[in-house]
């Protein structure tokens, strides 16, 4: 498995992975939403803000991030490849691309929603802590924050 910044040539295999997991993500229910997501992913790719874990031509994991907002925007792993630490490796790679002293945020399902149980446990395992409640794509979510020490506090 190889981790790298994704490029436009990866879009078809990236979207094949998204198609497998789309039911777990609010806002990807329709073909129009998937087309919009594809355009968004291409923007992230052009901005060197898309990371993929690939095995040959197959993408096993995908992550989108925003350097400007210090945010993990999207993270998915092929259901057949879970429990292989792919998501953890993707997040570690992303962190090398971010400003070191800035906290990182991500949103996921709120506590009590079965769709978010694994993601919430994963983010907590990585050191993220629960933050404010919100809503995205009409779905109740909770922000998680990874506190990062300031340059003089390491």
């Amino acid at each position: 498995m190889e981790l790298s910044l994704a490029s436009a040539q990866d879009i078809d295999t990236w979207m094949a992975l998204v198609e497998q997991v789309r039911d777990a993500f609010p806002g990807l229910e329709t073909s129009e939403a998937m087309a919009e997501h594809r355009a968004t992913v291409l923007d992230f790719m052009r901005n060197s803000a898309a990371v993929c874990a690939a095995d040959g031509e197959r993408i096993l994991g995908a992550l989108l991030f925003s350097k400007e907002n210090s945010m993990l925007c999207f993270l998915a792993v092929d259901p057949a490849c879970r429990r292989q630490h792919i998501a953890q490796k993707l997040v570690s790679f992303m962190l090398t691309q971010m400003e070191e002293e800035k906290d990182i945020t991500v949103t996921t399902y709120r506590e009590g929603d079965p769709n978010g149980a694994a993601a919430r446990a994963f983010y907590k395992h990585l050191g993220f802590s629960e933050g404010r409640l919100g809503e995205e794509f009409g779905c109740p979510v909770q922000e998680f924050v990874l506190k990062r020490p300031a340059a003089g506090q390491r």
Side-chain angles (χ1 to χ4, degrees):
M1 180 184 76
E2 182 182 338
L3 291 172
S4 63
L5 290 173
S7 63
Q9 69 187 27
D10 300 312
I11 191 65
D12 290 335
T13 51
W14 181 294
M15 291 305 295
L17 170 61
V18 173
E19 187 66 45
Q20 287 182 63
V21 299
R22 70 190 275 193
D23 292 345
F25 292 92
L28 297 179
E29 295 86 2
T30 65
S31 56
E32 293 82 13
M34 286 293 283
E36 190 174 311
H37 183 73
R38 181 186 180 96
T40 298
V41 171
L42 284 167
D43 285 341
F44 275 82
M45 288 174 168
R46 279 189 283 278
N47 290 317
S48 298
V51 183
C52 65
D55 182 14
E57 295 294 312
R58 187 168 157 228
I59 290 184
L60 310 178
L63 183 151
L64 300 175
F65 65 95
S66 168
K67 290 179 196 175
E68 298 78 25
N69 299 315
S70 296
M71 179 181 277
L72 192 168
C73 304
F74 178 86
L75 174 60
V77 174
D78 183 323
C81 300
R82 296 207 173 126
R83 300 215 170 276
Q84 296 177 26
H85 307 289
I86 294 170
Q88 190 168 344
K89 290 174 184 172
L90 286 166
V91 171
S92 293
F93 186 100
M94 174 200 74
L95 291 174
T96 69
Q97 307 295 304
M98 303 289 240
E99 290 184 47
E100 288 184 25
E101 67 280 356
K102 286 193 174 180
D103 295 347
I104 307 295
T105 60
V106 63
T107 56
T108 191
Y109 291 97
R110 290 188 189 177
E111 189 167 5
D113 188 324
N115 289 318
R120 294 175 65 84
F122 170 73
Y123 292 123
K124 287 179 183 179
H125 174 75
L126 293 184
F128 284 79
S129 53
E130 295 172 338
R132 65 174 189 218
L133 301 176
E135 190 174 294
E136 292 178 2
F137 302 104
C139 179
V141 297
Q142 184 167 21
E143 180 180 80
F144 275 69
V145 181
L146 179 64
K147 296 280 186 194
R148 301 177 82 199
Q153 298 177 344
R154 281 187 217 126

